[in-house]
Amino acid sequence: MFFRDLKKKPGQTMKIVLADVHLPVKMGHRDAEKVFGAPLDAQLNAIGLGSVLGCETRKRPSGTAIGVDIALGLKDGSETTRQVVANLLEVLSAPCGSSIRLSDRVGDPLLFGVTEGLEVAISAPQTDSPDARRELAHTCTGALKDTGVSRGWDRLQDQTVFYFYGESYADMRDRLTRVLKASTEFGDATIRRLA
């Protein structure tokens, strides 16, 4: 249940507790703010628990995306509140190994997540055009149906990689293997688990 077009009341202030969320999700060309930040902010505001202060993609020095970091301002820092945030992010397909911790406290983070990652890689010349990338993405999402979500694509050296997340890596792998091996265009694509 997600709400749209919520507006914050002007002039309202509240004491907040800062928290940091890390999602180990490869986003490819997708916008982390649209996929995770904005929907989470709308939910937190709707239930009065706080708001998203920032949402950005974490990258390696090489520019490769390795995750999403979300800064939160929460009404309170209780474990119950953090668990609610975790549950909201799980609805958005947060991957296993995601974590939330209070910014000013030492200790173990709350770990959560429900999806496993899968990468489909194919040689870059086969996906040079936007139409070829779109065709491969549609082929994969069609094979996955409701078992996985696409998190975009990225160009890495001589390959184009597509990222998918779902509740079962094995199920996604089996579905994609069948469809890709039967394809004359994408039969040499490789599939691997994302760590």
Side-chain angles (χ1 to χ4, degrees), residues 2 17 19 40 48 55 85 110-111 122 169 193-194:
F2 285 89
V17 176
L40 179 61
C55 180
V85 172
L110 172 67
L111 298 176
I122 193 162
Y169 164 78
R193 180 189 296 267
L194 291 172

Side-chain angles (χ1 to χ4, degrees), residues 116 118 167-177 193:
E116 299 179 290
L118 178 143
E167 290 186 15
S168 170
Y169 164 78
D171 184 36
M172 290 191 304
R173 181 198 61 217
D174 293 346
R175 287 171 181 248
L176 290 174
T177 299
R193 180 189 296 267

